[in-house]
Amino acid sequence: AHKGNFGHVLVIGGDKGFGGAAILASKAAVLSGSGLVSLATRGIHVEAALSSCPELMVSGIESGQDVEDLLKKSTVVVIGPGLGQSAWSEQMLQRTFLEAKSRNLPVVLDADGLNLLSKLKLRSGTPRRTVFTPHPGEAARLLNKEINEIQEDRFKSVMRLEKKLGSICVLKGSGSLICYKKSGKQEIGICDAGNPGMAKGGMGDVLAGLIGSFISQGLNLVEATESAVDLHSKAADIASLELGMTITPTDVIRNIRYFLR
């Protein structure tokens, strides 16, 4: 085997002040088996990213044009962690969608990528092979509902999301739900692992990186998403045995490796 057999994940995110989210997603991809991981982020975060994870290929990106070459080299794109909602953020999303549509490139859309999707209402729609990973607040914006309406019937909510967006949706939260089409009918997977210690900034970024990593290694979108959601929560449960509710996203990344082994 060689590194090319295990895919090339490109993480796009980390606008000014939000560098940690993109670094966490990238690190999760590296430590879960991806052959190559690139990070496209604001230039001010390059040094911090390399200090945290020297295995990353980090590029300081200041415009949509700057990211084009990286998009052409990737096999899957994770966009959204720490992306922000600035003009820079919009450029990153639009360039990603253009490349993904032209190459049928899989995309994991998370965090501010989802918020921008609600805000921009892109006429061209989203790439066909996209995994959407909203928490209840993001789901509410996507469906033009209140958060309490999303939570009152999470099964109905995730089905509405899948129908509206046309691809796999993960509704995060206690008992995360994964909805997708199988033989033309909606199916829902339920995650029965996880704990309240996961209610921290950065946990969703780790999940996005894991989904991208498993896609890069050859799993189809449903397999990659269900495996990542399951292992993410179980790694957090193992961490909580040692650390209680003070677990961090970094603890989850560390424990993923033991499950994969």
Side-chain angles (χ1 to χ4, degrees):
H2 58 83
K3 58 191 176 187
N5 295 134
F6 303 104
H8 187 167
V9 178
L10 171 61
V11 176
I12 302 176
D15 199 357
K16 293 174 181 176
F18 302 105
I23 294 170
L24 283 168
S26 304
K27 198 169 182 178
V30 167
L31 296 182
S32 58
S34 295
L36 294 165
V37 182
S38 293
L39 170 59
T41 188
R42 287 282 198 177
I44 55 174
H45 302 311
V46 170
E47 187 175 340
L50 289 173
S51 297
S52 175
C53 187
E55 295 86 355
L56 290 174
M57 297 180 288
V58 189
S59 299
I61 300 295
E62 301 305 331
S63 73
Q65 286 183 319
D66 294 342
V67 81
E68 285 185 358
D69 286 344
L70 293 173
L71 283 165
K72 286 178 169 58
K73 296 174 183 175
S74 62
T75 53
V76 58
V77 180
V78 176
I79 181 166
L83 185 65
Q85 299 185 53
S86 66
W88 178 86
S89 318
E90 293 178 10
Q91 285 186 50
M92 296 302 111
L93 188 65
Q94 289 169 342
R95 294 283 180 169
T96 297
F97 280 8
L98 283 172
E99 183 67 20
K101 287 176 181 178
S102 68
R103 289 179 47 210
N104 198 25
L105 191 68
V107 175
V108 181
L109 192 63
D110 184 47
D112 273 328
L114 296 163
N115 292 325
L116 281 173
L117 191 64
S118 305
K119 174 182 170 185
L120 294 176
K121 295 181 170 53
L122 299 172
R123 291 180 183 176
S124 56
T126 55
R128 187 175 66 83
R129 300 175 66 203
T130 303
V131 179
F132 301 90
T133 59
H135 59 50
E138 292 156 351
R141 283 187 282 277
L142 287 165
L143 293 174
N144 197 26
K145 302 281 186 183
E146 297 296 324
I147 294 176
N148 66 309
E149 293 179 85
I150 299 296
Q151 295 292 71
E152 281 171 3
D153 192 334
R154 286 171 52 83
F155 288 89
K156 183 183 289 185
S157 296
V158 78
M159 292 172 74
R160 284 176 173 168
L161 283 166
E162 192 279 333
K163 183 177 181 180
K164 178 176 181 176
L165 299 171
S167 193
I168 302 165
C169 290
V170 180
L171 180 56
K172 296 184 289 194
S174 178
S176 289
L177 303 175
I178 304 102
C179 187
Y180 55 92
K181 283 273 178 62
K182 184 177 180 181
S183 302
K185 297 179 68 175
Q186 285 183 319
E187 300 276 347
I188 298 178
I190 307 170
C191 178
D192 61 0
N195 63 79
M198 298 175 73
K200 292 187 178 71
M203 285 290 179
D205 305 312
V206 171
L207 176 60
L210 290 175
I211 296 171
S213 174
F214 293 163
I215 293 170
S216 81
Q217 293 175 70
L219 297 185
N220 67 42
L221 266 61
V222 173
E223 292 170 338
T225 303
E226 291 196 323
S227 298
V229 170
D230 186 50
L231 292 177
H232 179 254
S233 292
K234 287 177 177 173
D237 286 346
I238 293 297
S240 73
L241 296 177
E242 177 189 358
L243 302 167
M245 297 299 100
T246 66
I247 60 173
T248 66
T250 299
D251 297 319
V252 173
I253 294 173
R254 179 194 65 198
N255 285 341
I256 286 288
R257 307 172 82 181
Y258 299 112
F259 279 98
L260 293 175
R261 183 186 66 185

